[in-house]
């Protein structure tokens, strides 16, 4: 073992350092199961330990890659054999829950679900929510500015963070554990670390904002006859309801998840061009349920939906959401799968998806298959494609089909998943050369040796 | 006229350059009317002109101070005789209003009120709102991360900005006019410019998010018997109503604005220790009004309020809000006035204000007078103090009284007004030395010559 690893072990202890098979048995990509290739995984117990670890790495010019819950899908956690992984998995404490100030202070390695549960224990809620809730960590949610299913009501992770603590590449601890809703005392430094994917600093702790719990939850799956009806439906429910989620499913997605794979019950017939999952949160179960079904009735009469199923129990609710959230079915059915996460203005969406479908059919008439779903209200689509071949050339060709049209629409190659390694070469579709130059300038200012998650997001020349 | 001014005039034209009395007749401080001392005011018409102006200033090492609507109160617009002022006043166009995407794209010099009106024309709303709406500009709102009266519902200016364009100190235009709700394609560069008070770049254009208009507006002024009742009342209405504003007025504020100054009608007797203005926004006037008065009735029965007046017309509503928003009465009655804008956790507020009042009384028994009001739900208090003397020593002494206790409470010396020059020496009460060092690092990275709003927010050594 080299001297640096020895010195690091002196800081974190033997429990805090994984080597050999303990490293390679871990995967850096849950789609493919690709193994971690780093020379070691360092697992600090505290901000102080991490600070000492990074100070040593800085002296030794040792690049590091930070690991959270490893649920990302843009290769942000990939590590080369000469890189060290820093995992925050042993920093998973909930430090303080404050019902009066409506805040929770946690270490970065805690899972999203633990935070949600801690909020529920004091009759509040932590509103960020996504399918990976049981594995993904708050540090990862912050580093990637996670989105999920309730952005339409509560915003992305950036909106949930009141304060944070991060360690810079040289080991400097910048602690901004602000609990105030309003604080204009100088630059809002936390914004630097939110969404920068571990390239500007490593997030160690955070103060998050809690929201009043909404005891009444209404959920429906509806069949929608056209894209135009889908957007009108969104308009109707946005104005009339306490909307917390509006998830659109294209027919290809709904059919694969239900009748084609046989994995989920087809709660509605599978021949509708679109489906939507509508969820509202409120305070009064009886009143909200009545109002919810009135609005759906109105939508039915206006021809915006052709059929609907309302959840009457939490197991029915879970049944509806499982159709949307069970990504494992997609991974299996569309193997090898390419996953995309784009945003574009709603008026362009229908044509964009149709063109993409035609292009795919033209280039891969036998093997091409895609499914589309997403957070319609946020302008965010998830597109899963297979051509039954994951050679680099095929991947490139499919990427071209998916990303090229976005430039014209002012869309984004990454709505919520981030850039990582996977989308770095496409960053210029959504960002100008001046923007990318400014990103590099920030990277150099905060991480002058380029040691934090090297090559991710922006490559320094 | 020196060569630089000549060259600048060639870019912006004679209309675009103010000199001599046209400069000194302008005030940089609306409390005191202090004149602008800059050697010239440059008024570009476009981003391109501003880019050329800044490129020349960069070559000539010419420092610049940016002016928006000049409603700030932390001396952020103060300019020395060797500095140039850049005013965005001729860049005041609304470029696009998009009802489908719910966005508005504007130049930085447009007033907040014009944006609000443009949103109303398409039956939507731009929710940021503050007393200076008729004068303050969107560029200033962004540069200072403005707050105001509806933060509790819609967040601060940062939450309203989807995209922006800024010019760096060397003239580089960084255009990030994103319209997507979700865009994780690389670092979120706009965050650098929001709230950095013109020290990292000059904001030229922005894409703002619009919200559905809420046609039903309920407003009440209530008398509250204790601070404890005030916080309980906030809890009650937060949970039960579509709360959009909760403004607390201490007795000293209410009394001065009504019976003492004779400027506003005392809608309720002036002997209650606290008052609150409660506003809700909703969709159904009849239903909301009924529900609103039910909740107030509940508060009355629970002893959380002792009296209430509900606005029955828009003029009554304005009458209630005028008590809160008519800052000119305060400026006149408390002349010379020191103005503070702090945030701290609600549980510490009552003791903080009481101690401050006692300290003031002890040090200035004859002349000391203070009034307190603010956005209680945001933890934000505005404190206006006079000791009938604005010597630097008196100012320092009062500042010590106001700011020193905040460190212990984890409070902020600036909730929404920013730092400017006025609070720079107190930044270390709310921020650690590591945080301030990181702010300086960002300043050096983005403005290496220190030409943008020099000395504001953080001083480079």
């Amino acid at each position: 073992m080299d001297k640096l690893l020895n010195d690091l072990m002196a800081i974190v202890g033997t429990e805090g350092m994984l080597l050999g098979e303990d490293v390679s048995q871990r995967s850096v990509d849950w789609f493919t199961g690709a193994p971690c290739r780093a020379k070691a995984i360092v697992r600090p117990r505290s901000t102080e330990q991490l600070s000492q670890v990074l100070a040593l790495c800085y002296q030794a010019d040792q690049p590091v890659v930070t690991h959270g819950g490893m649920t990302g899908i843009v290769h942000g956690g990939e590590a080369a054999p000469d890189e060290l992984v820093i995992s925050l998995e042993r920093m998973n404490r909930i430090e303080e829950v404050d019902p009066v100030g409506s805040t929770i202070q946690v270490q970065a390695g805690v899972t999203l679900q633990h935070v949600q549960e801690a909020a529920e224990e004091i009759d509040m809620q932590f509103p960020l929510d996504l399918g990976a809730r049981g594995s993904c960590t708050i540090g990862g949610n912050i580093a990637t500015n996670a989105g999920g299913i309730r952005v339409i009501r509560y915003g992305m992770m950036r909106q949930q963070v009141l304060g944070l603590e991060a360690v810079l590449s040289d080991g400097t601890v910048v602690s901004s554990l602000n609990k105030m809703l309003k604080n204009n005392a100088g630059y809002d430094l936390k914004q630097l670390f939110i969404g920068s994917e571990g390239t500007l600093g490593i997030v160690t702790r955070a103060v998050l904002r809690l929201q009043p719990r909404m005891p009444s939850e209404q959920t429906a799956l509806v069949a929608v006859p056209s894209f135009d009806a889908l957007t009108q439906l969104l308009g109707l429910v946005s104005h009339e309801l306490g909307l917390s989620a509006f998830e659109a499913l294209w027919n290809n997605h709904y059919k694969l998840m239900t009748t084609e794979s046989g994995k989920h019950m087809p709660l509605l017939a599978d021949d509708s061009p679109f489906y939507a999952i509508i969820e509202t949160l409120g305070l009064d179960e009886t009143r909200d349920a009545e109002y919810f079904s009135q609005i759906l009735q109105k939508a039915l009469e206006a021809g915006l939906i052709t059929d609907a199923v309302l959840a009457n129990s939490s197991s029915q609710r879970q049944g509806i959401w499982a159709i949307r959230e069970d990504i494992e079915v997609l991974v299996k059915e569309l193997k090898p799968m390419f996953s995309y996460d784009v945003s574009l203005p709603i008026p362009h969406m229908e044509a964009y998806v149709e063109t993409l479908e035609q292009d795919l059919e033209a280039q891969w008439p036998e093997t091409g298959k895609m499914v589309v779903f997403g957070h319609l209200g946020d302008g965010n689509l998830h597109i899963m494609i297979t051509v039954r071949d994951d050679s680099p050339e095929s991947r490139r060709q499919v990427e071209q089909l998916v990303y090229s049209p976005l430039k014209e629409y002012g869309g984004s190659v990454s709505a919520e998943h981030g850039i990582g390694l996977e989308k770095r070469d496409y960053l210029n579709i959504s960002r100008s050369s001046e923007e990318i130059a400014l990103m590099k300038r920030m990277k150099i200012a905060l991480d002058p040796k380029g040691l934090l998650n090297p090559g991710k997001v922006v490559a320094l020349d």
Side-chain angles (χ1 to χ4, degrees), chain A:
Chain A
M1 197 163 66
D2 67 21
K3 177 170 184 319
L4 177 64
L5 291 187
N6 254 324
D7 292 347
L8 293 176
M9 202 182 276
I11 297 167
V12 296
T14 46
E15 284 286 295
M17 173 87 74
L18 303 183
L19 296 162
E21 281 202 354
D22 288 339
V23 175
S24 58
Q25 274 170 4
R26 295 203 169 191
S27 164
V28 293
D29 184 344
W30 67 275
F31 280 176
T32 65
C36 183
R37 300 183 299 143
K39 65 176 168 185
I41 297 180
V42 184
R43 308 187 302 161
R45 265 254 181 253
S46 65
T47 303
E48 293 64 38
Q49 284 191 3
L50 176 60
S51 166
Q52 292 171 31
V53 165
L54 285 186
L56 280 188
C57 290
Y58 189 79
Q59 283 165 27
D61 292 333
Q62 172 62 52
V64 301
V65 173
T66 308
H67 280 188
M70 299 309 288
T71 62
I73 50 178
V74 293
H75 301 200
E78 221 168 86
D82 63 341
E83 292 176 338
L84 266 186
V85 160
I86 307 229
S87 169
L88 281 282
E89 65 200 77
R90 296 205 303 166
M91 289 180 61
N92 60 358
R93 279 198 307 124
I94 292 178
E95 298 185 324
E96 187 194 83
V97 186
D98 177 359
V100 179
S102 301
T103 59
I104 184 168
Q105 182 171 313
V106 301
Q107 289 183 313
V110 69
T111 64
L112 172 57
Q113 189 170 334
H114 279 147
V115 171
Q116 291 174 337
E117 287 165 359
E120 278 157 27
E121 272 172 30
I122 57 158
D123 201 30
M124 299 202 72
Q125 63 159 327
F126 182 65
L128 190 91
D129 197 24
L130 53 151
R133 62 184 75 81
S135 312
C136 66
T137 64
I138 291 297
N141 296 152
I142 292 173
T144 60
N145 186 27
I149 57 178
R150 285 179 175 167
V151 171
I152 198 169
R153 171 95 170 241
Y154 294 102
M156 296 178 80
M157 189 62 176
R158 191 180 295 279
Q159 275 77 63
Q160 324 305 326
V161 182
L162 291 176
L164 68 72
E165 179 183 81
V167 184
L168 303 184
S169 68
D170 63 1
T172 303
V173 179
V174 181
S175 200
S176 296
L177 291 171
N178 166 66
K179 293 180 179 176
M180 305 287 95
L181 278 185
K182 288 162 110 173
N183 189 350
N184 273 347
Y187 305 160
D188 191 0
L189 299 172
K190 66 177 177 281
Q191 307 296 346
L192 288 172
F193 305 105
I194 302 172
S196 56
E197 304 183 33
T199 61
L200 301 180
I202 299 180
V203 175
T204 47
R205 295 195 290 165
V207 178
L208 308 172
R209 185 179 181 182
L210 301 179
Q211 299 285 348
R213 199 171 77 84
M214 296 285 158
S216 142
E217 197 171 331
Q218 311 300 322
T219 312
L221 173 71
V222 299
V224 184
S226 67
F227 190 81
D228 190 44
L230 192 63
T231 58
Q232 283 185 54
L233 179 65
L234 173 63
L236 176 71
V237 297
S238 308
H239 275 75
E240 294 283 344
L241 291 169
L243 191 68
S244 52
F246 189 97
E247 299 285 307
L249 318 177
W250 265 244
N251 177 275
N252 50 28
H253 177 266
Y254 182 79
K255 204 183 270 177
L256 181 65
M257 296 301 291
T258 58
T259 50
E260 269 181 45
S261 68
K263 289 288 162 54
H264 292 278
M265 181 112 82
L267 299 166
L268 298 172
D270 72 356
D271 58 352
S272 181
F274 299 93
Y275 299 83
I277 297 174
I278 305 173
E279 182 200 77
T280 72
L281 295 176
L283 292 161
D284 183 326
E285 180 64 35
T286 316
R287 195 178 58 184
D288 295 347
E290 194 185 321
Y291 194 52
F292 190 70
S293 57
Q294 272 173 24
I295 297 285
L296 291 185
Q297 188 60 38
K298 204 164 151 182
L300 201 62
E301 283 159 16
L304 304 183
I305 63 178
T306 54
D307 201 359
V309 52
L310 275 73
N312 284 319
S313 65
S314 76
S315 73
Q316 285 187 352
R317 180 171 299 125
Q318 282 164 21
I320 291 175
W321 273 112
I323 296 174
R324 163 64 182 83
E325 292 195 330
D326 190 352
I327 306 292
E328 281 172 25
V329 173
L330 298 180
V331 174
K332 187 158 170 278
E333 298 287 327
L334 301 178
K335 208 169 183 177
M337 183 175 87
F338 303 148
S339 158
Y340 304 100
D341 157 54
V342 303
S343 65
L344 71 164
I346 298 175
H348 296 303
M349 264 184 194
E350 186 179 21
Y352 168 76
V353 171
E354 274 176 18
T355 306
L356 186 55
E357 212 151 20
Q358 286 158 12
D359 290 348
L360 196 69
E361 168 75 17
Q363 278 189 250
W364 291 274
E366 302 298 323
T367 53
K369 184 168 175 64
M370 68 184 257
V371 307
V372 182
F373 59 102
H375 319 288
L376 190 78
D378 310 327
N380 180 190
L381 292 181
H382 295 308
I383 302 170
M384 307 295 186
I385 294 180
T386 189
V387 295
R388 304 299 174 191
D389 158 25
D390 62 352
S391 65
E393 309 81 65
S394 295
R395 182 181 285 273
R396 284 272 146 185
Q397 287 167 351
V398 175
E399 284 170 352
Q400 286 297 338
L401 294 185
V402 174
Y403 292 139
S404 316
L406 295 174
K407 188 156 197 154
E408 180 192 338
Y409 298 140
S412 174
V413 298
S414 180
E416 56 181 15
H417 292 171
I419 295 296
L421 281 180
E422 192 182 275
K423 301 184 180 184
R424 203 185 63 189
D425 295 345
Y426 298 98
L427 192 56
N428 63 1
I429 286 180
S430 303
R431 295 305 191 100
S432 67
S433 55
E434 290 82 6
E435 288 178 280
I436 294 170
L438 182 53
M439 290 180 205
K440 289 181 183 172
R441 206 196 282 204
M442 287 169 62
K443 172 72 176 170
I444 291 165
L446 267 81
D447 178 20
K449 290 187 173 185
L451 299 178
L452 298 179
N453 237 357
K456 314 287 164 60
V457 188
V458 284
L460 297 181
D461 307 310

